Amino acid sequence: MASITLSKVFKSYGSGKTANQVIHGVSAEIHDGEFVVVVGPSGCGKSTLLRMVAGLEEISGGEISIGSRVVNDLEPSERDIAMVFQNYALYPHMSVFDNMAYGLKIARVPKDEIKARVDKAAKILELGQYLNRKPRELSGGQRQRVAMGRAIVRQPQVFLFDEPLSNLDAKLRAHTRLEIQKLHRDLGITSLFVTHDQVEAMTLAQRMIVMNAGIMEQFGTPEEVYARPASTFVATFIGSPPMNLIKEAPGAKPGVTVGIRPEHLDITDSGWALTVDALETLGAERLVYGRWQHGEGYELVIIRCDEGRPVPQLGSTIHVTPRPDRLHYFDTTTGKRI
Amino acid sequence: MVERRPVLTFVSHLILVLGIIIIAFPLYLTFVASTQTAEQITQSIPMSLVPGTNLIETYRTALFGGETSAGSNLSGAARMMWVSLVTALIIPIGKTTISLLSAFAIVYFRFPFRNTVFWLIFITLMLPVEVRIGPTYEVVASLGMLNTYAGLTIPLIASATATFLFRQFFLTVPDELVEAARIDGAGPMRFFRDVLIPLSATSIAALFVIQFIYGWNQYLWPLLMTTHEDMYPVVMGIKRLLGGEAYTEWNVVMATAILAMLPPALVVILMQKWFVKGLVDTEK
């Protein structure tokens, strides 16, 4: 097992004047045995970052080390990593056993040890009875487990996951999420997991990296990221429904954007007056969309009401009071937290 | 025609049966002629449509040659069959090997002028053998390859079609497979051998069948190339049986024709399953 250190990592495609930079100097320290999730919208460079750690993309600038070794110029197979791909990338013509054993065969691991390792992985992943099947005879979830099995048998220093759950249906995804958690608890291997799904990120991560447009916006535990978002991007990206951001909030200084999460707004007898614009019922809770008219424009403010609270009428006026200790302040121009 | 109606079923079957008769009748005629004696064929007009009794004798003469009842001396097709078989095997094997390797290079390696190379290969598609037969002969002759297996096969091995086919197939192989192999520590040739070739198996089979028939049916090129009788392929042999002697032994001609048809037919029948699979689906 090993830590991963990224220091001022850059990536650009092309060269000279036409070069297109996609990762703008990411630095992060991932501890030994830690499970870190990289999350961000599509095109933010999260997969590129992972592929640079894997050695599938060249590193244009900066350094990546695994353990104490700088791996910039090492082939993927020399980096002591294993990767799980989004579409599993199983060899279609090989049986499940051969798929898992292929890397070991190339590394000239003795036959009986290969068998022992594959059997052990198959047992962990409950794949024992499928070892002789071809990938096309398996369901999506089983293929996903084979892909993980292929990673496990290598006994690598680092696991890399590239959106491994996005091809599964919702129920299976939740189940596999738990399995990955358990796997990490049992094996304790440093893991880097890329996803665009914030629920996956929040539930799996010990710490998470939030990326946007090639920049690392925040690196912290899910609680930190949720409670103290470093920028307006993080504030709106993490959490559903997103945090309310109000540019010209009553009583706030100019140039400051005020943020408040929907669950931190209470409907009270007096306070900030809003018109109820829409209602959404989600079962355990309701979302109230309040329209706040100011000057010529208006902004929609989302309020989350727990079950059992009185529901306001559509079109009526309500008063809300934010919990003062839950207010966030951001610089309107830079978007950074103040 | 989605609906099932008795009339339509009958009509479509009728058309199919008529088609089969039209195609199969000449084959039957050839077979019947090969079972009769030369005299029977020439003397009864029209020719009898019932198989004769001379089958074994005719085929022995067709294969191993010898003095015929009509007095002409034939050389026999066995040697020619062998030449055809060797040619028809070297061509698909060589073609597949070269095309697989060149397609692999074009798709998976970044080298300067990669696209130029591809287009150069592609352009040769526009030139059939007949167009470049003069210069090719010149080259083969000055290399001293006339009347050799090398001369019969090498000019026909270079193939843009097969390279193109494999290139298209390799392009459909997901990139992740290459990356997974890289992480597993497989070098390029290892990946080629362990992953690409097994995945291309059906395409290779389809190509083999097509190219075997192509090689077997070569006529113009061997006609230019070979001057020694022991390097003639069987297709040329049939033509020679018709022209050379004053009296044409039709039963032997027909028997040789049947013999010449058998290997390609066998290849198609034996590899049918693979062949159809290769043309229809790609397993990914």
Side-chain angles (χ1 to χ4, degrees), chain B residues 133-134 136-137 146-147 219-227 236:
Chain B
I133 208 157
T136 313
Y137 181 81
L146 295 179
N147 289 312
Y219 177 67
L220 184 59
W221 178 242
L223 190 66
L224 277 178
M225 259 288 305
T226 52
T227 46
M236 268 174 75

Side-chain angles (χ1 to χ4, degrees), chain A residues 41-336:
Chain A
S42 44
C44 72
K46 56 189 189 299
S47 277
T48 312
L49 193 69
L50 187 85
R51 292 164 57 82
M52 282 198 282
V53 177
L56 299 172
E57 296 275 354
E58 250 171 71
I59 300 160
S60 315
E63 250 181 29
I64 295 180
S65 350
I66 296 175
S68 51
R69 273 195 311 169
V70 176
V71 295
N72 281 34
D73 297 322
L74 291 183
E75 271 291 301
S77 56
E78 299 163 341
R79 295 191 180 194
D80 214 353
I81 48 135
M83 186 157 167
V84 178
F85 293 89
Q86 180 174 356
N87 60 6
Y88 320 133
L90 302 175
Y91 309 115
H93 57 293
M94 294 186 198
S95 67
V96 169
F97 181 92
D98 289 335
N99 261 291
M100 294 205 250
Y102 188 56
L104 301 179
K105 268 183 200 158
I106 292 174
R108 310 221 168 151
V109 175
K111 268 208 174 127
D112 35 334
E113 198 191 331
I114 294 183
K115 182 150 187 353
R117 285 209 216 170
V118 172
D119 283 345
K120 196 178 151 207
K123 205 173 159 203
I124 297 175
L125 297 164
E126 292 160 30
L127 283 170
Q129 49 178 319
Y130 306 114
L131 282 178
N132 291 321
R133 295 222 192 148
K134 294 275 171 66
R136 66 164 181 276
E137 296 160 332
L138 300 178
S139 70
Q142 288 164 341
R143 285 181 206 183
Q144 214 278 336
R145 294 216 296 275
V146 176
M148 291 211 289
R150 187 165 63 178
I152 292 173
V153 293
R154 290 173 60 84
Q155 304 179 342
Q157 306 252 18
V158 172
F159 275 149
L160 302 172
F161 297 89
D162 189 5
E163 309 215 14
L165 305 183
S166 47
N167 282 356
L168 303 178
D169 62 56
K171 199 175 154 197
L172 201 53
R173 201 179 304 162
H175 178 72
T176 314
R177 221 158 57 203
L178 291 176
E179 275 188 346
I180 292 180
Q181 259 182 356
K182 183 169 173 300
L183 207 63
H184 180 252
R185 258 201 322 273
D186 294 346
L187 302 173
I189 293 173
T190 318
S191 306
L192 201 55
F193 186 108
V194 160
T195 179
H196 61 267
D197 181 355
Q198 48 142 327
V199 179
E200 252 166 54
M202 295 293 283
T203 50
L204 279 170
Q206 290 176 334
R207 284 198 297 164
M208 59 201 272
I209 294 174
V210 185
M211 284 198 57
N212 182 32
I215 291 168
M216 188 169 83
E217 295 266 346
Q218 192 168 6
F219 185 19
T221 63
E223 294 78 18
E224 272 168 29
V225 171
Y226 191 77
R228 289 183 56 81
S231 64
T232 48
F233 173 79
V234 180
T236 48
F237 189 73
I238 301 295
S240 174
M243 182 186 278
N244 295 305
L245 292 175
I246 300 133
K247 286 215 176 74
E248 293 164 51
K253 276 182 256 162
V256 171
T257 300
V258 177
I260 177 85
R261 294 227 178 256
E263 60 267 36
H264 298 143
L265 281 167
D266 293 319
I267 300 179
T268 44
D269 295 335
S270 62
W272 197 13
L274 302 171
T275 318
V276 177
D277 220 32
L279 286 169
E280 278 179 352
T281 309
L282 302 175
E285 61 195 26
R286 286 192 185 80
L287 300 180
V288 179
Y289 290 78
R291 176 203 280 261
W292 176 50
Q293 204 77 35
H294 63 98
E296 306 213 330
Y298 70 92
E299 273 178 73
L300 278 184
V301 177
I302 307 172
I303 305 134
R304 181 182 268 168
C305 300
D306 288 337
E307 209 180 7
R309 295 284 199 84
V311 183
Q313 288 289 308
L314 212 58
S316 67
T317 301
I318 52 168
H319 296 274
V320 296
T321 312
R323 299 184 197 161
D325 55 334
R326 296 305 180 101
L327 286 170
H328 308 266
Y329 299 97
F330 302 98
D331 187 314
T332 303
T333 42
T334 65
K336 294 282 174 237

Side-chain angles (χ1 to χ4, degrees), chain B residues 59-277:
Chain B
Y59 278 86
R60 189 185 300 136
T61 316
L63 266 177
F64 306 110
E67 198 81 10
T68 63
S69 50
S72 37
N73 197 355
L74 300 171
S75 54
R79 169 71 196 174
M80 295 191 276
M81 295 278 286
W82 173 251
V83 173
S84 280
L85 184 70
V86 172
T87 320
L89 281 176
I90 294 179
I91 290 176
I93 292 170
K95 228 173 185 159
T96 314
T97 315
I98 290 187
S99 317
L100 271 171
L101 284 170
S102 46
F104 180 53
I106 287 172
V107 175
Y108 287 101
F109 290 87
R110 255 173 276 157
F111 54 89
F113 306 113
R114 180 164 76 150
N115 263 321
T116 321
V117 169
F118 172 69
W119 283 109
L120 280 177
I121 295 175
F122 195 74
I123 283 172
T124 63
L125 263 182
M126 325 280 169
L127 302 172
V129 176
E130 290 72 18
V131 176
R132 52 191 162 88
I133 208 157
T136 313
Y137 181 81
E138 198 65 42
V139 171
V140 171
S142 31
L143 287 175
M145 293 198 299
L146 295 179
N147 289 312
T148 59
Y149 285 118
L152 274 175
T153 52
I154 290 174
L156 301 171
I157 278 179
S159 159
T161 333
T163 310
F164 189 68
L165 180 95
F166 287 123
R167 173 186 179 265
Q168 295 310 102
F169 174 72
F170 289 169
L171 287 177
T172 65
V173 173
D175 286 343
E176 278 88 350
L177 227 49
V178 187
E179 293 171 348
R182 274 182 77 191
I183 289 178
D184 273 339
M189 288 322 283
R190 184 98 202 217
F191 171 72
F192 180 64
R193 203 184 66 205
D194 287 352
V195 180
L196 278 184
I197 291 190
L199 286 181
S200 325
T202 51
S203 310
I204 293 175
L207 196 76
F208 181 86
V209 173
I210 294 171
Q211 296 302 338
F212 182 88
I213 296 169
Y214 168 82
W216 186 271
N217 288 343
Q218 279 303 315
Y219 177 67
L220 184 59
W221 178 242
L223 190 66
L224 277 178
M225 259 288 305
T226 52
T227 46
H228 291 312
E229 202 160 300
D230 59 352
M231 287 307 289
Y232 286 158
V234 70
V235 183
M236 268 174 75
I238 300 173
K239 176 74 175 69
R240 267 166 44 88
L241 285 175
L242 292 177
E245 310 281 332
Y247 179 74
T248 305
E249 309 262 351
W250 280 109
N251 58 337
V252 180
V253 173
M254 292 308 182
T256 314
I258 292 274
L259 286 174
M261 270 188 275
L262 277 179
L266 272 179
V267 166
V268 171
I269 290 167
L270 290 179
M271 299 194 61
Q272 196 175 32
K273 203 181 118 202
W274 284 79
F275 177 63
V276 173
K277 227 174 152 189

